[in-house]
Amino acid sequence: MLGQRKAVIALFPLVTTAARAYITGVSGHNATYDYVIIGGGTAGLTVGARLAADSSLSVAVIEAGGFYEIDNGNASVVPFYAAEGINTTSLQGSNPLVDWQFLTVPQPSLLGQIYHYIRGKCLGGSSARNFLIYQRATVGALQKWADAVDDQSYSWANILPFYQKSAAYTPARADLRLPNATAVNDTGAFLAGAGPLQVSYPNYANPVGTFYPGAFEELGLGALPHGVNTGSLIGYAYSTVTEDPTDETRSSSQTAFLSSAPSLTVYSKTMAQKIVFDGSKTARGVNVKANGVSFTLFANKEVILSAGAFQSPQLLMVSGVGPADVLEQHNIPVVADLPGVGQNLQDNPAVFVGYTSPFVLDAAQLDAAVVPYNTKPHTGQLTSPGSEVIGWDKVSNKAFATSLSKSTVSDLASSFPADWPEVELIANANGKFPSIHR
Ligand SMILES: Cc1cc2nc3c(=O)[nH]c(=O)nc-3n(C[C@H](O)[C@H](O)[C@H](O)COP(=O)(O)OP(=O)(O)OC[C@H]3O[C@@H](n4cnc5c(N)ncnc54)[C@H](O)[C@@H]3O)c2cc1C
């Protein structure tokens, strides 16, 4: 697409900035660090950068992918293209350089459909593949987590300082958005001078989006007066996004945390294959492979596993930690028989409904949109990932819940806290949701 090629010009400074900010691990050679982190995604680069801020520590990150700016260009960098290649029922349009291309087995309860589980494979991980929506968990959701693991570090009050430490907040530019697309100025949820993750609002509001508040009100939802980052979500609001307000590009764990960690050593395009345990079942290192060459990265202090929801348990299992019967079936020597590892995945199904809108750009309009996007103050539809106004609601307490089974209603009521939204209503206005691609 012509528009995409033109906008690439704006990307080169970003790549060089990030490339200067870390140490490249020497591939093919065994090495020892204090901390070895598996997975340079959302969590891995955040933890890596925080640890490496202590100059007395040596920290290495192992990442199977590379730079998404190079491997996926605008589709990962320009917010408007966030849904490119995000096809949930096939690999059509998916880029194997930045996506693991996981396909499920046919799902019996979903008419045998195979699903594509999109997972980022790059420095930045899924924070480089997601829809840029920035919102915090609810107070009750975090309390449920804290209670489940019997560790109050995960309660809202104890997590909030870390949410605040990571995010640099910039209020919406009302002068660049439609007058009736007012975003809450959420300053109270953020700390001045914090960061490095950039949290802001797009320099654009889609006209379609201005009708959504009325639609949400009709559904019985109220406006969230303090926005989406104060621990309560039942309601609706223009959502904050992980977007750099200086150039309206995606802010990921790579652009934010990797760029701020000059002493972090990164092994990119390197596959972690197995965690090495010693005789006392302590993780001592990681067997890795890059360019066909195997080597080991040893850890003086800790191996940190942050390979995402699917591959963290998978790596544990291939390393001998998991249900003994499953490991034995695959001739994997058992280090620890932990039956829960790799089991009980719970996920949120998404249903996409599409309507034709006069505000979806045609090819000529998309091409024209490149000019304001590439020109300061970086405006127009390309600045928006499309998911602008978002609503959260309960369904189990609604009249239509009678169409749900009794066990569903009772499971929802008994398993989740009162402030836990059961549905998220994402009103995407730029015509780039997966249903459009199918
Ligand atoms: C399509 C999509 C849209 C989303 N939209 C949003 C959104 O708008 N807002 C939001 O808050 N959340 C969103 N999410 C969820 C959010 O992005 C993820 O929950 C979050 O990024 C997960 O972080 P993580 O660190 O656990 O994993 P990841 O960020 O996925 O990081 C895991 C990293 O480990 C690497 N890795 C895995 N195995 C190995 C191995 N063996 N060797 C080396 N490296 C390995 C991967 O390549 C990856 O870089 C979305 C997710 C997807 C997929």
Side-chain angles (χ1 to χ4, degrees):
M1 202 180 298
L2 185 60
Q4 268 185 274
R5 270 189 247 119
K6 279 186 183 170
V8 164
I9 294 163
L11 309 184
F12 291 126
L14 273 184
V15 175
T16 49
T17 304
R20 265 190 255 117
Y22 67 93
I23 303 162
T24 304
V26 181
S27 196
H29 294 269
N30 293 349
T32 303
Y33 298 87
D34 290 324
Y35 292 92
V36 175
I37 299 171
I38 305 174
T42 314
L45 289 183
T46 308
V47 171
R50 295 301 190 206
L51 285 169
D54 180 342
S55 58
S56 70
L57 297 174
S58 58
V59 185
V61 171
I62 303 160
E63 170 52 48
F67 276 95
Y68 60 81
E69 294 93 333
I70 296 167
D71 289 340
N72 205 37
N74 288 348
S76 290
V77 175
V78 179
F80 178 82
Y81 297 118
E84 288 284 335
I86 307 293
N87 190 331
T88 50
T89 49
S90 81
L91 296 182
Q92 198 189 344
S94 155
N95 178 353
L97 294 178
V98 292
D99 180 49
W100 285 90
Q101 304 207 313
F102 292 136
L103 292 175
T104 66
V105 295
Q107 298 295 300
S109 55
L110 294 166
L111 304 176
Q113 177 70 51
I114 289 172
Y115 282 90
H116 170 204
Y117 261 121
I118 299 131
R119 304 306 301 172
K121 182 184 187 181
C122 52
L123 289 161
S126 298
S127 76
R129 301 296 303 126
N130 70 20
F131 296 134
L132 289 80
I133 297 164
Y134 181 89
Q135 73 194 50
R136 295 179 185 157
T138 65
V139 174
L142 286 174
Q143 193 55 49
K144 180 175 169 63
W145 185 353
D147 294 341
V149 297
D150 194 20
D151 183 348
Q152 295 307 310
S153 313
Y154 294 100
S155 71
W156 170 264
N158 290 329
I159 287 278
L160 183 60
F162 295 98
Y163 274 138
Q164 291 181 322
K165 182 178 176 183
S166 290
Y169 171 69
T170 305
R173 288 277 308 261
D175 56 325
L176 302 176
R177 295 163 59 89
L178 293 172
N180 55 349
T182 309
V184 171
N185 187 8
D186 225 356
T187 358
F190 296 89
L191 288 181
L197 183 71
Q198 297 296 321
V199 176
S200 61
Y201 293 92
N203 283 344
Y204 176 82
N206 196 299
V208 173
T210 63
F211 292 95
Y212 291 137
F216 287 137
E217 296 274 353
E218 271 187 38
L219 289 175
L221 289 176
L224 288 163
H226 304 293
V228 297
N229 297 304
T230 56
S232 120
L233 283 175
I234 306 285
Y236 69 86
Y238 273 97
S239 179
T240 36
V241 289
T242 47
E243 205 165 313
D244 188 335
T246 62
D247 56 9
E248 297 290 292
T249 56
R250 177 189 293 271
S251 182
S252 68
S253 66
Q254 182 245 101
T255 62
F257 288 95
L258 184 57
S259 305
S260 66
S263 62
L264 188 61
T265 300
V266 174
Y267 291 81
S268 60
K269 305 257 172 178
T270 302
M271 186 75 146
Q273 295 191 303
K274 190 181 168 190
I275 301 165
V276 181
F277 291 95
D278 67 13
S280 65
K281 302 187 178 183
T282 303
R284 292 295 178 198
V286 185
N287 291 341
V288 301
K289 195 168 187 177
N291 296 317
V293 181
S294 297
F295 55 105
T296 302
L297 300 175
F298 295 98
N300 283 331
K301 294 182 186 292
E302 286 180 30
V303 171
I304 295 172
L305 183 51
S306 52
F310 297 108
Q311 285 141 298
S312 288
Q314 183 256 347
L315 267 166
L316 284 174
M317 290 171 82
V318 296
S319 309
V321 178
D325 55 337
V326 178
L327 303 186
E328 279 155 9
Q329 276 168 29
H330 296 278
N331 298 319
I332 298 169
V334 177
V335 174
D337 176 15
L338 292 177
V341 173
Q343 317 302 310
N344 306 320
L345 174 74
Q346 293 188 20
D347 201 5
N348 50 331
V351 178
F352 299 98
V353 183
Y355 292 95
T356 307
S357 149
F359 299 105
V360 173
L361 302 184
D362 62 25
Q365 290 166 323
L366 195 54
D367 201 25
V370 172
V371 177
Y373 181 76
N374 276 344
T375 315
K376 279 186 181 173
H378 306 288
T379 56
Q381 197 156 348
L382 296 190
T383 68
S384 170
S387 308
E388 297 172 4
V389 189
I390 300 185
W392 294 265
D393 202 359
K394 288 274 183 199
V395 287
S396 56
N397 61 2
K398 298 286 185 302
F400 59 78
T402 46
S403 60
L404 302 173
S405 70
K406 276 191 182 145
S407 62
T408 299
V409 174
S410 125
D411 282 353
L412 286 170
S414 60
S415 311
F416 300 104
D419 68 1
W420 179 292
E422 290 160 358
V423 291
E424 180 176 14
L425 300 158
I426 303 180
N428 186 292
N430 72 7
K432 282 285 174 184
F433 250 180
S435 53
I436 312 291
H437 286 274
R438 266 184 239 140

